[in-house]
């Protein structure tokens, strides 16, 4: 169990560092980042860790929300690329567009005194057969929000209790083993400085077998 845990944490930590490195190298401004060849990298992480699913979600503020929604619409081509690589796209098939806005609306959630943040679903492996899961705000789920707040506070990865993953990722989160699942939330940092802020999270769905 300890060896498996070290492997899982190590692989996701490496993926997080790769994202930070690429973002710095290409001089992007968060949250406007798309990891190239995501399905290739996601499959490697899934194969090594035994997880069912790996997703990348940026941290979006109220100030960047409209720009993010425009960016996501213009860069949703990663979905087709991933489906083609996975062999899950039939010839001539059309892919639905992702939602145009982060949802559910913030006014449907509990008000807080903190700066408003969103954590929309972005890239994922396996790729989504139903793109409507993209831009779903994971912070709309109270359990995810609690785990996310711990990650922000500690700047360390956090493993959750057993969760109903379909409440977060719908049919896009397969349960290949049929066993109970938890999520491991790995922070992605803006820089490699110890005081760096968390700009995204990698969510891995882990079956307990």
């Amino acid at each position: 169990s300890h060896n498996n845990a070290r492997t899982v944490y190590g692989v996701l930590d490496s993926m997080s560092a790769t994202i930070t490195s690429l973002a710095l190298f290409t001089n992007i401004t968060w949250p406007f980042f798309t990891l190239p060849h995501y399905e290739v990298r996601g499959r490697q992480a899934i194969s090594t860790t035994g997880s069912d699913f790996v997703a990348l979600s940026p941290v979006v503020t109220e100030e960047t929300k409209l720009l993010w929604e425009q960016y996501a619409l213009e860069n949703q081509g990663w979905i087709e690329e991933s489906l083609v690589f996975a062999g899950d796209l039939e010839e001539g098939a059309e892919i639905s567009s992702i939602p145009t806005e982060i949802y559910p609306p913030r006014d449907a959630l509990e008000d807080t005194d903190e700066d408003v943040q969103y954590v929309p679903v972005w890239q994922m492996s396996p790729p989504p057969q139903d793109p409507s899961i993209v831009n779903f705000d994971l912070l709309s789920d109270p359990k995810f929000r609690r785990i996310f707040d711990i990650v922000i506070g500690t700047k360390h990865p956090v493993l959750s209790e057993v969760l109903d993953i379909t409440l977060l990722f719908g049919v896009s989160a397969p349960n290949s083993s049929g066993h109970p699942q938890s999520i491991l939330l790995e922070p992605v940092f803006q820089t490699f400085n110890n005081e760096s802020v968390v700009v995204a999270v990698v969510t891995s769905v882990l079956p307990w077998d």
Side-chain angles (χ1 to χ4, degrees), residues 39 43 79-91 127 129:
E39 181 61 15
R43 283 193 174 208
I79 299 176
E80 181 175 358
E81 176 189 287
S82 293
L83 288 171
V84 169
F85 182 84
D88 293 335
L89 186 64
E90 298 181 3
E91 186 175 351
Q129 295 291 338

Coordinates of all heavy atoms in Angstrom, one line a residue, residues 39 43 79-91 127 129:
E39 N -3.9 13.4 -24.0 CA -4.3 12.0 -23.9 C -3.1 11.1 -23.7 O -3.2 10.1 -23.0 CB -5.2 11.6 -25.1 CG -5.7 10.2 -25.1 CD -6.6 9.8 -23.9 OE1 -7.1 10.8 -23.3 OE2 -6.8 8.6 -23.6
R43 N -2.8 9.0 -20.3 CA -2.8 7.5 -20.4 C -1.6 7.0 -19.6 O -1.6 6.0 -19.0 CB -2.7 7.0 -21.8 CG -4.1 7.1 -22.5 CD -4.1 6.3 -23.8 NE -5.4 6.2 -24.4 CZ -5.8 5.3 -25.2 NH1 -4.9 4.3 -25.5 NH2 -7.0 5.2 -25.7
I79 N -10.2 18.0 -27.5 CA -11.2 16.9 -27.3 C -11.1 16.0 -28.5 O -11.0 14.8 -28.4 CB -12.6 17.4 -27.1 CG1 -12.7 18.3 -25.8 CG2 -13.6 16.3 -27.0 CD1 -14.0 18.9 -25.6
E80 N -11.2 16.6 -29.7 CA -11.1 15.8 -30.9 C -9.8 15.1 -31.1 O -9.7 13.9 -31.4 CB -11.4 16.6 -32.2 CG -11.3 15.9 -33.5 CD -11.7 16.7 -34.7 OE1 -12.0 17.9 -34.5 OE2 -11.7 16.2 -35.8
E81 N -8.7 15.8 -30.8 CA -7.4 15.2 -30.8 C -7.3 14.0 -29.9 O -6.7 13.0 -30.3 CB -6.3 16.3 -30.4 CG -4.9 15.7 -30.4 CD -4.0 16.8 -29.7 OE1 -3.6 17.7 -30.4 OE2 -3.5 16.6 -28.6
S82 N -7.8 14.1 -28.7 CA -7.7 13.0 -27.7 C -8.6 11.8 -28.1 O -8.2 10.7 -28.0 CB -8.2 13.5 -26.3 OG -7.2 14.5 -25.8
L83 N -9.8 12.1 -28.6 CA -10.7 11.1 -29.1 C -10.1 10.3 -30.3 O -10.2 9.1 -30.3 CB -12.0 11.6 -29.5 CG -12.9 12.1 -28.3 CD1 -14.1 12.9 -28.9 CD2 -13.4 10.9 -27.5
V84 N -9.4 11.0 -31.2 CA -8.8 10.4 -32.3 C -7.6 9.5 -31.8 O -7.5 8.3 -32.3 CB -8.2 11.4 -33.3 CG1 -7.3 10.7 -34.4 CG2 -9.4 12.1 -34.0
F85 N -6.8 10.0 -30.9 CA -5.7 9.2 -30.4 C -6.2 8.0 -29.7 O -5.6 6.9 -29.8 CB -4.9 10.1 -29.4 CG -3.7 9.3 -28.9 CD1 -2.5 9.3 -29.6 CD2 -3.7 8.7 -27.6 CE1 -1.4 8.6 -29.1 CE2 -2.6 8.0 -27.1 CZ -1.4 8.0 -27.9
A86 N -7.3 8.1 -28.9 CA -7.9 7.0 -28.2 C -8.6 6.0 -29.1 O -9.0 4.9 -28.6 CB -8.8 7.5 -27.1
G87 N -8.8 6.4 -30.3 CA -9.6 5.5 -31.2 C -11.1 5.5 -30.9 O -11.8 4.5 -31.3
D88 N -11.6 6.5 -30.3 CA -13.0 6.6 -29.9 C -13.8 7.5 -30.8 O -15.0 7.8 -30.4 CB -13.1 7.1 -28.4 CG -12.5 6.1 -27.5 OD1 -12.5 4.9 -27.8 OD2 -12.1 6.5 -26.4
L89 N -13.3 8.0 -31.9 CA -14.0 8.9 -32.7 C -14.3 8.2 -34.1 O -13.3 7.9 -34.8 CB -13.2 10.2 -33.0 CG -14.0 11.3 -33.7 CD1 -15.2 11.7 -33.0 CD2 -13.1 12.5 -34.0
E90 N -15.6 7.9 -34.3 CA -15.9 7.3 -35.6 C -15.7 8.3 -36.8 O -15.9 9.5 -36.6 CB -17.4 6.8 -35.6 CG -17.6 5.8 -34.5 CD -19.1 5.3 -34.5 OE1 -19.9 5.8 -35.4 OE2 -19.5 4.5 -33.6
E91 N -15.4 7.7 -37.9 CA -15.2 8.6 -39.1 C -16.4 9.4 -39.4 O -17.5 8.8 -39.6 CB -14.7 7.7 -40.3 CG -14.3 8.5 -41.5 CD -13.7 7.7 -42.6 OE1 -13.5 6.5 -42.4 OE2 -13.6 8.2 -43.7
P127 N -10.8 10.8 -22.8 CA -11.5 12.0 -23.2 C -13.0 11.9 -23.1 O -13.5 10.8 -23.2 CB -11.0 12.1 -24.7 CG -10.7 10.7 -25.1 CD -10.1 10.1 -23.8
Q129 N -16.8 11.6 -23.9 CA -17.7 11.3 -25.0 C -18.8 12.4 -25.1 O -19.4 12.7 -26.1 CB -18.3 10.0 -24.8 CG -17.4 8.8 -24.9 CD -16.8 8.6 -26.3 OE1 -17.4 9.0 -27.3 NE2 -15.6 7.9 -26.4

